[in-house]
């Protein structure tokens, strides 16, 4: 076809260059501003049920989730792994995004060995807390024991990979820490451990922050260099707390205020700690704001229910009360913020993982 009058046909080299430029720009649109994943050899996890990938399966506690309908939406078909979710948890998504396996194995899971743990390992235990007394409520793994498992892991890793490579894995790994909710909702405000008589709320917040600082100092001494540490969510807005607050209705604002006060103290401590230890990088994950954004504007993630869990009535059920005998469990968990009365759905966990990764690229990598 002839060119219109006055039109100058581009030369073949110019056309090729334009096509290449267009292809590159499209590629950048899909990738966004984020660079290629950094070389992170492993994701190492400490904390509670928000990140426990199955350790409670192996201990004598009633707090378990290795049965249906937990895990019903796992890739490849229903698979209850001990994750308190219909699918994966934030560390799983973080691991996959960094080019590592899509599931971070639980350290106590006999199906995995040190060759798996060399690329990612979870020491977390559902129901635990920064306070050792919290773990005692439901007989789960206390945080100090998680650290002991970390030490044992390092000894096994040295035998498996050699001392030099093991040291690099430990120092270059990304550490994910999520803990603290149970210290208030399962311990202090439940009046079962005596902490409510020993501390004021503010004093208990200070005690927990001091425990968090000691924990971080210890894993830093053991080799951790890049750590994400999650603050508390609006704990008064969990479905279980909404249900217990039925007379007044809505979220328990007193609990949310406690979460905000604790988070402020935690953030100040993390900044102090990082300033005193130049080789330690710690990113504070603002779970409170991330969750509040979704609760106030759920349609940004296509959510329809942010007040109740998908499982059973969604008001009080979790662990054994969330089971496959209930006819009320929702069909599409993707429309819900919460899976059970305490824990987010896989869709929300993926959202939280993205927020964490964005912060990692800004502050840790």
């Amino acid at each position: 076809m002839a060119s219109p009058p006055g039109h100058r046909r581009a030369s073949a080299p110019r056309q090729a260059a334009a096509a290449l430029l267009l292809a590159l720009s499209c590629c950048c649109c899909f990738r966004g501003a984020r660079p290629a994943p950094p070389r992170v050899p492993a994701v190492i996890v400490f904390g509670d049920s928000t990140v426990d990938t199955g350790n409670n399966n192996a201990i004598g506690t009633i707090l378990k989730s290795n049965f249906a309908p937990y895990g019903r939406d796992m890739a490849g078909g229903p698979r209850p792994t001990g994750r308190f979710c219909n699918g994966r948890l934030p560390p799983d998504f973080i691991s996959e995004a960094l080019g590592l396996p899509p599931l971070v194995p639980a350290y106590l899971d006999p199906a995995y060995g040190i060759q798996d743990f060399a690329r990612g390992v979870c020491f977390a235990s559902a129901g635990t807390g920064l306070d050792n007394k919290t773990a005692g409520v439901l007989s789960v793994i206390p945080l100090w024991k998680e650290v002991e498992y970390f030490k044992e892991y390092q000894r096994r890793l040295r035998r498996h990979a050699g001392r030099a490579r093991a040291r690099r894995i430990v120092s270059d790994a990304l550490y994910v820490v999520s803990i603290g909710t149970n210290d208030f909702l399962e311990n202090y405000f439940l009046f079962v451990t005596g902490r409510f008589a020993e501390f004021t709320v503010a004093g208990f917040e200070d005690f927990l922050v001091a425990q968090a600082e000691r924990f971080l100092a210890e894993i830093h001494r053991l080799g951790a260099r890049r750590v994400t540490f999650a603050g508390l969510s609006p704990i008064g807005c969990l479905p279980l707390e909404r249900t217990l607050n039925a007379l007044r209705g809505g979220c328990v604002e007193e609990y949310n205020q406690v979460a905000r006060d604790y988070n402020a103290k935690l953030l100040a401590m993390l900044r102090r700690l990082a300033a005193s230890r130049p080789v330690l990088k710690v990113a504070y994950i603002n779970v409170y704001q991330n969750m509040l954004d979704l609760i106030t504007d759920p349609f940004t993630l296509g959510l329809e229910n942010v007040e109740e869990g998908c499982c059973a009535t969604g008001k009080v059920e979790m662990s054994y009360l969330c089971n496959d005998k209930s006819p009320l469990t929702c069909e599409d968990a993707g429309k819900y913020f919460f899976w059970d009365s305490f824990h987010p759905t896989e869709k929300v966990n993926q959202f939280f993982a993205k927020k964490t990764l964005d912060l990692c690229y800004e502050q840790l990598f």
Side-chain angles (χ1 to χ4, degrees):
M1 180 182 295
S3 299
H7 175 78
R8 295 179 59 189
R9 183 183 297 273
S11 66
R14 187 180 296 275
Q15 286 178 320
L20 178 61
L21 188 61
L22 179 61
L24 288 172
S25 65
C26 288
C27 177
C28 290
C29 289
F30 283 113
R31 289 177 59 85
R34 181 180 291 174
R39 294 190 63 180
V40 176
V43 171
I44 299 177
V45 185
F46 294 91
D48 56 25
S49 59
T50 54
V51 290
D52 178 5
T53 60
N55 283 309
N56 275 23
N57 299 348
I59 64 174
T61 178
I62 62 170
L63 191 58
K64 297 179 186 288
S65 60
N66 55 340
F67 47 83
Y70 286 99
R72 74 171 196 188
D73 298 317
M74 291 286 281
R79 182 184 167 196
T81 60
R83 290 166 171 80
F84 280 79
C85 185
N86 60 307
R88 291 193 286 167
L89 302 181
D92 298 316
F93 289 108
I94 291 169
S95 177
E96 184 177 37
L98 294 174
L100 296 166
L103 296 176
V104 178
Y107 186 63
L108 299 184
D109 189 335
Y112 297 95
I114 190 61
Q115 68 276 8
D116 305 297
F117 301 144
R119 304 188 70 199
V121 61
C122 175
F123 303 107
S125 176
T128 201
L130 290 160
D131 182 2
N132 288 333
K133 286 194 173 184
T134 302
V137 175
L138 291 171
S139 301
V140 299
I141 303 168
L143 187 59
W144 69 264
K145 185 64 174 178
E146 292 186 26
V147 175
E148 288 301 307
Y149 283 138
F150 180 45
K151 294 176 184 177
E152 179 185 83
Y153 160 76
Q154 290 196 38
R155 291 192 293 270
R156 294 175 63 187
L157 190 62
R158 285 193 290 270
R159 290 195 296 268
H160 168 72
R163 186 171 295 272
R165 182 169 167 238
R167 187 185 303 113
R168 285 196 301 272
I169 291 172
V170 169
S171 64
D172 293 347
L174 175 65
Y175 292 77
V176 176
V177 184
S178 179
I179 196 168
T181 297
N182 298 316
D183 290 302
F184 291 101
L185 298 185
E186 182 188 309
N187 178 345
Y188 190 87
F189 290 125
L190 206 56
F191 308 132
V192 294
T193 65
R195 289 301 197 198
F196 70 95
E198 186 178 351
F199 294 102
T200 63
V201 175
F204 191 57
E205 293 164 4
D206 294 337
F207 169 74
L208 294 179
V209 170
Q211 295 298 106
E213 184 170 9
R214 277 193 282 273
F215 162 76
L216 286 169
E218 178 64 1
I219 65 168
H220 173 249
R221 186 186 70 80
L222 293 170
R225 295 295 179 264
R226 297 186 289 196
V227 183
T228 70
F229 201 108
L232 294 185
S233 69
I235 57 178
C237 292
L238 300 178
L240 179 61
E241 303 309 321
R242 287 178 182 267
T243 300
L244 297 176
N245 194 42
L247 290 178
R248 288 185 292 176
C251 301
V252 184
E253 178 51 33
E254 296 94 322
Y255 290 180
N256 287 349
Q257 184 61 56
V258 167
R260 291 193 294 270
D261 293 344
Y262 165 84
N263 286 344
K265 294 175 180 180
L266 176 67
L267 179 57
M269 179 276 288
L270 295 177
R271 287 172 173 166
R272 253 190 348 263
L273 187 67
S276 66
R277 299 168 184 264
V279 296
L280 174 64
K281 295 181 179 180
V282 184
Y284 167 74
I285 309 302
N286 193 348
V287 181
Y288 192 102
Q289 192 59 52
N290 294 341
M291 178 171 163
L292 198 62
D293 288 344
L294 284 183
I295 289 177
T296 54
D297 190 11
F299 300 108
T300 58
L301 203 62
L303 304 177
E304 297 179 5
N305 190 326
V306 297
E307 298 183 1
E308 300 161 333
C310 165
C311 189
T313 68
K315 297 181 181 297
V316 298
E317 296 88 352
M318 72 171 176
S319 191
Y320 286 109
L321 294 178
C322 170
N323 57 65
D324 60 358
K325 305 299 182 186
S326 176
L328 300 176
T329 298
C330 76
E331 292 185 4
D332 184 1
K335 296 178 180 179
Y336 284 70
F337 185 106
F338 296 98
W339 165 246
D340 59 20
S341 68
F342 218 79
H343 304 98
T345 57
E346 180 182 63
K347 186 176 188 177
V348 172
N349 283 333
Q350 187 172 20
F351 170 83
F352 286 158
K354 182 182 182 304
K355 290 287 187 179
T356 298
L357 274 169
D358 288 344
L359 201 62
C360 286
Y361 277 92
E362 290 174 16
Q363 299 184 15
L364 302 184
F365 298 152

